[in-house]
């Protein structure tokens, strides 16, 4: 067992958990399944994580640790936009677990670093500490929601099944009575699947930062 613990670090376990969730969805992630993937008994994982709750927190911490905050000069709003882009860059590759991040931002050093950076930019913009806390929480949650609410993103696995689900949604929306829902029917393609992901995320971040800028 000592040899197993040497091989199986927290980082290795989180890597495996993240890969499993990316591949099959968060519901597939269990201590037993993860132990099978690593070829060990569940007790080997419990050495590092006492339960799934701790493991899930470890996944959120991993995504937050992957945020590479830019160290740049310039106006506060440009740096705020760069910070949100950095958060998205870390979260976008893992839509199945993105929703774990917002409630856990203040529970790890990595999350606190991101939060403090965003709050600092908002204070620099002239908001009070209370206003910055409110706006900062909204911005970070809304940024993650861009990932979880992206058109075509579902919890369905594998990818072929996701494509089928998106197509069913598109057909259903396009078939709506045009006299009642003309705009929804006309936008059926865009509502079912994101046609240009980069544009979608850029526009979303622009909207968030423009809103904060407008409040000032």
């Amino acid at each position: 067992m000592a040899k197993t613990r040497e091989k199986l670090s927290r980082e290795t376990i989180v890597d495996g958990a993240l890969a499993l969730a990316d591949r099959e969805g968060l519901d597939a992630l269990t201590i037993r399944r993860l132990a099978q993937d690593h070829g060990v008994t569940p007790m080997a994982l419990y050495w590092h994580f006492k339960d799934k709750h701790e493991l899930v927190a470890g996944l959120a911490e991993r995504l937050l640790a992957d945020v590479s905050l830019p160290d740049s000069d310039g106006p506060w709003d440009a740096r705020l936009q760069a910070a949100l882009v950095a958060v998205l860059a870390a979260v976008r590759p893992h839509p199945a677990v993105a929703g774990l991040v917002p409630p856990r931002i203040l529970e790890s050093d990595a999350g606190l670093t991101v939060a403090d950076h965003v709050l600092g930019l908002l204070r620099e913009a002239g908001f009070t500490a209370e206003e910055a806390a409110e706006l900062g929480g909204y911005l970070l949650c809304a940024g993650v929601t861009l990932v979880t609410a992206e058109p075509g993103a579902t919890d369905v696995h594998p990818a072929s099944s996701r494509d089928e689900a998106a197509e069913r949604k598109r057909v259903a929306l396009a078939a709506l009575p045009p006299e009642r829902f003309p705009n929804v029917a006309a936008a059926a393609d865009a509502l079912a699947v994101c046609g240009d992901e980069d544009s979608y995320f850029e526009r979303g971040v622009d909207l968030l930062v423009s809103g904060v800028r407008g409040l000032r």
Side-chain angles (χ1 to χ4, degrees), residues 46-97:
Y46 286 127
W47 177 265
H48 299 280
F49 297 96
K50 69 180 183 181
D51 52 30
K52 184 176 177 179
H53 177 77
E54 275 197 3
L55 178 59
V56 164
L59 284 176
E61 183 177 354
R62 165 62 182 279
L63 264 59
L64 288 163
D66 285 344
V67 176
S68 181
L69 292 170
D71 184 14
S72 59
D73 298 324
W76 67 267
D77 52 346
R79 285 182 284 141
L80 178 62
Q81 183 147 354
L84 294 178
V85 168
V87 172
L88 281 175
V91 175
R92 275 181 64 179
H94 311 288
V97 298

Side-chain angles (χ1 to χ4, degrees), residues 153-176:
T154 71
D155 293 332
V156 178
H157 295 269
S160 58
S161 297
R162 292 199 299 272
D163 293 341
E164 292 172 2
E167 177 60 16
R168 286 195 298 272
K169 180 178 181 180
R170 186 195 68 77
V171 171
L173 293 176
L176 289 171

Side-chain angles (χ1 to χ4, degrees), residues 20-35:
L20 175 59
D22 287 343
R23 188 171 63 248
E24 300 183 28
L26 195 58
D27 288 343
L29 179 61
T30 65
I31 295 291
R32 183 175 296 278
R33 171 63 189 280
L34 196 55

